[in-house]
Structure formats: C-alpha cells, structure tokens
Amino acid sequence: MKCGSMDWDAAVTWTANGTDIDESHLNGSYLILKNVDLSQSGQYSCYEGSSWHLKYQTYLRVGSEYPSMSH
C-alpha cells in the first residue's frame, strides 16, 4: 500500500487498528502485506515521520463479505 502522495523514501509510520506495524513490513514508505489472512482486516493508517500527521487511511477487508450459505 502506498502512503498517499508521500515519496517512497519518506519517513512514515503505519498502524493497523491503532497498533504500530513492524518496520520489517515496509519497503521505503510502502506497506507490503504477504499471505494476508482474516486477522489482518481493519483500519490501516499512515503517518508522516515523527509528527504523527495522518497522511493516508484505508480499510482492508480480507475474505468474502458475504459467506456462501448452504441450504
């Protein structure tokens, strides 16, 4: 995920549902998610450097919104 209009080499902090995301998931200012599962659904936010100025926010929904139901 790209942090809005921030440059690739900008210093940013990403959070998921209010919890800091480890920098090992970052490529520059981009957030890289691999092997995504249901536990990673939620509100993702990106903040500029140490100022915690919100630059980008998105909601990630993993999986099917309406599970198939057998009758």
Side-chain angles (χ1 to χ4, degrees), residues 63-71:
S64 169
E65 185 173 354
Y66 301 105
S68 59
M69 299 180 69
S70 56
H71 295 284

Side-chain angles (χ1 to χ4, degrees), residues 15-19 21 40-45 56-60:
T15 64
N17 299 318
T19 301
I21 296 176
Q40 290 170 292
S41 291
Q43 187 77 47
Y44 284 76
S45 304
Y56 177 76
Q57 197 166 51
T58 189
Y59 190 86
L60 178 66

